[in-house]
């Protein structure tokens, strides 16, 4: 049962981290196509480390679910932490560049 919980939390964490990576990629693409998009592109470049780190931690947590119950608990803690950081970073980026329309 604990393994199932660990796997679900790890998958949710991976999805949150990939959502942040995808949003940054879309934002970077739009910034590169627009004149005057250099400040946005620079901001996106500064956020890649957070996005990559949370994605790596989430994938590691998912990998740890293949171990025993102790590893499942560690995977849950790691996945929950990295998922929370990814969601917070995504929300921060969205708030910064949310359009009024």
């Amino acid at each position: 049962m604990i393994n199932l919980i660990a796997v679900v939390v790890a998958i949710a964490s991976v999805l949150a981290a990939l959502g942040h990576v995808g949003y940054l990629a879309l934002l970077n693409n739009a910034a590169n196509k627009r004149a005057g998009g250099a400040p946005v592109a620079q901001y996106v470049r500064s956020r890649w480390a957070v996005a990559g780190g949370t994605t790596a931690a989430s994938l590691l947590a998912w990998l740890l679910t293949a171990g025993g119950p102790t590893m499942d608990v560690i995977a849950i803690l790691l996945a929950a932490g990295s998922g929370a950081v990814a969601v917070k970073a995504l929300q921060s980026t969205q708030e910064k560049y949310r359009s009024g329309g």
Side-chain angles (χ1 to χ4, degrees):
M1 184 63 165
I2 187 102
N3 184 262
L4 178 63
I5 294 169
V7 170
V8 169
V9 172
I11 291 172
S13 177
V14 168
L15 291 176
L18 290 178
H20 185 216
V21 168
Y23 189 79
L24 286 177
L26 289 173
L27 193 59
N28 190 47
N29 188 29
N32 288 333
K33 288 183 179 181
R34 296 185 65 95
V40 176
Q42 182 180 5
Y43 174 79
V44 169
R45 279 192 300 274
S46 73
R47 303 303 290 169
W48 281 120
V50 173
T54 57
T55 303
S58 297
L59 291 171
L60 176 62
W62 196 356
L63 183 64
L64 290 176
T65 61
T70 304
M71 297 304 281
D72 287 339
V73 171
I74 294 170
I76 290 170
L77 294 173
L78 182 60
S82 63
V85 170
V87 167
K88 183 66 177 164
L90 175 59
Q91 288 173 345
S92 171
T93 303
Q94 286 176 334
E95 288 173 8
K96 184 171 177 77
Y97 293 108
R98 188 174 307 268
S99 63

